[in-house]
Amino acid sequence: MRGSGFLLKVLGLVLCQAAARYECYFPTSLSSASSRAQANITSMLAPQSNRVMVLGEWEERWQENRIGFHQPVVHKMLESNIDKVLAGRTGVRFFFPLCGKAVDMKWLADQGHSVVGVEISEMAIKQFFEENNMTYSEEPVPAIPGAKVYKSSEKNISLYQCDLYNFSNSTDGQFGAIWDRGSLVAINPQDREKYAALIISLMAKDCRYLLDTLLYNPELYPGPPFFVPDEQVQSLFGKSCDIELLQSVDALTDRHRGWGLDYLTENVHLITPKSV
């Protein structure tokens, strides 16, 4: 059964949101309603709030082939929503945060789009090119000490091997699309504000950001992947972006049951900069 304590927190958040809508008619009360809603989000996130993984742990997972998060086929959520991401555009620049060796990158490049990814594991990047039979060049990134960029010789794909937070729009510009599957849900929960600020800075005015998140009871599993409620997506991006929930599907498998979960919902959001 789902933890009763967690469900009470969810109910409390719903009540706070309802109160906020009611109190919008009373400006002096709005800030207090918003504060209560934020406090409830914090309470929901509490079971995982102090969970920290250092970069070396992710590199170890690749070296030990503990990469259950990697999918050998194009992600179905990307396939089913690609038209909404492209919105009639061709030759779109895609950004892949924490890209791993996602086959989605080649799938998009084969359609004429360009891809820029960031990944800490050199092994993951090299495996991407080798497993897709692509030759590549390797060169240093002067603006980021110790970083390298691997560029495909055949496709417009550039993968930066560095700490994501050392990457910026001065490194390789802004992007017309972002596919975030396994990135926001993988970073340390305490870093989400910093992460959202980076993503927003990388969004061009016409950017369409496809974000994949997971809902489950965080009292049952420490993560990663981490629990990211819709309310926090709104809190992170809602001030500067419009957010549309495109899909919500039951994603529970035997693997997830092995983690101790009794439900797992996968949500996909389309996030776009608000018109000025």
Side-chain angles (χ1 to χ4, degrees):
M1 293 181 65
R2 303 186 186 187
S4 58
F6 179 70
L7 289 176
L8 286 173
K9 292 173 186 175
V10 174
L11 178 59
L13 180 58
V14 171
L15 291 174
C16 282
Q17 290 177 321
R21 288 195 293 270
Y22 175 78
E23 292 176 8
C24 70
Y25 298 103
F26 304 93
T28 57
S29 302
L30 185 58
S31 60
S32 61
S34 177
S35 296
R36 288 198 301 273
Q38 185 59 50
N40 225 315
I41 292 174
T42 301
S43 178
M44 291 172 68
L45 299 174
Q48 297 178 337
S49 62
N50 295 320
R51 182 81 162 93
V52 174
M53 284 189 66
V54 298
L55 294 179
E57 291 180 80
W58 288 108
E59 292 182 286
E60 285 177 8
R61 288 194 177 202
W62 280 99
Q63 292 164 3
E64 297 169 4
N65 201 35
R66 293 187 293 120
I67 52 172
F69 49 83
H70 172 70
Q71 292 194 357
V73 295
V74 176
H75 197 283
K76 59 184 179 182
M77 292 296 202
L78 177 61
E79 279 188 312
S80 60
N81 291 290
I82 189 61
D83 289 343
K84 292 181 180 179
V85 176
L86 295 178
R89 300 173 298 169
T90 58
V92 176
R93 295 190 77 225
F94 274 82
F95 180 63
F96 277 65
L98 307 187
C99 62
K101 58 176 181 179
V103 298
D104 304 4
M105 296 188 288
K106 182 177 184 298
W107 183 71
L108 289 166
D110 286 343
Q111 298 179 46
H113 307 295
S114 59
V115 172
V116 172
V118 174
E119 169 59 47
I120 191 61
S121 170
E122 182 179 44
M123 176 178 288
I125 292 174
K126 289 184 175 181
Q127 285 182 2
F128 169 77
F129 289 114
E130 292 164 1
E131 291 174 8
N132 287 289
N133 298 312
M134 299 165 66
T135 57
Y136 60 91
S137 62
E138 172 187 337
E139 56 190 72
V141 182
I144 307 176
K148 299 176 185 177
V149 60
Y150 297 77
K151 297 182 179 181
S152 166
S153 305
E154 299 91 356
K155 302 287 182 181
N156 198 350
I157 301 176
S158 298
L159 305 183
Y160 288 80
Q161 191 231 332
C162 64
D163 184 335
L164 177 64
Y165 300 115
N166 289 336
F167 188 85
S168 70
N169 54 24
S170 64
T171 309
D172 207 329
Q174 293 181 312
F175 301 91
I178 299 173
W179 173 219
D180 187 332
R181 183 263 162 184
S183 186
L184 179 59
V185 299
I187 64 162
N188 295 326
Q190 63 190 25
D191 293 333
R192 287 177 189 164
E193 296 282 352
K194 177 170 66 172
Y195 178 89
L198 172 62
I199 293 295
I200 291 169
S201 75
L202 295 175
M203 297 173 72
K205 291 181 179 179
D206 65 344
C207 184
R208 300 178 74 79
Y209 169 29
L210 196 65
L211 170 65
D212 187 83
T213 59
L214 300 173
L215 305 180
Y216 60 84
N217 185 347
E219 294 177 344
L220 300 179
Y221 179 67
F226 296 109
F227 161 72
V228 181
D230 294 352
E231 293 82 7
Q232 190 174 38
V233 173
Q234 183 66 41
S235 174
L236 291 171
F237 298 102
K239 289 183 180 179
S240 58
C241 300
D242 293 318
I243 303 169
E244 178 186 359
L245 178 62
L246 296 182
Q247 277 186 275
S248 183
V249 300
D250 179 1
L252 188 68
T253 66
D254 287 341
R255 175 170 175 252
H256 304 127
R257 291 187 183 94
W259 297 350
L261 299 182
D262 53 5
Y263 76 98
L264 179 69
T265 301
E266 184 174 8
N267 283 352
V268 172
H269 314 262
L270 181 64
I271 302 176
T272 55
K274 289 182 177 178
S275 302
V276 178

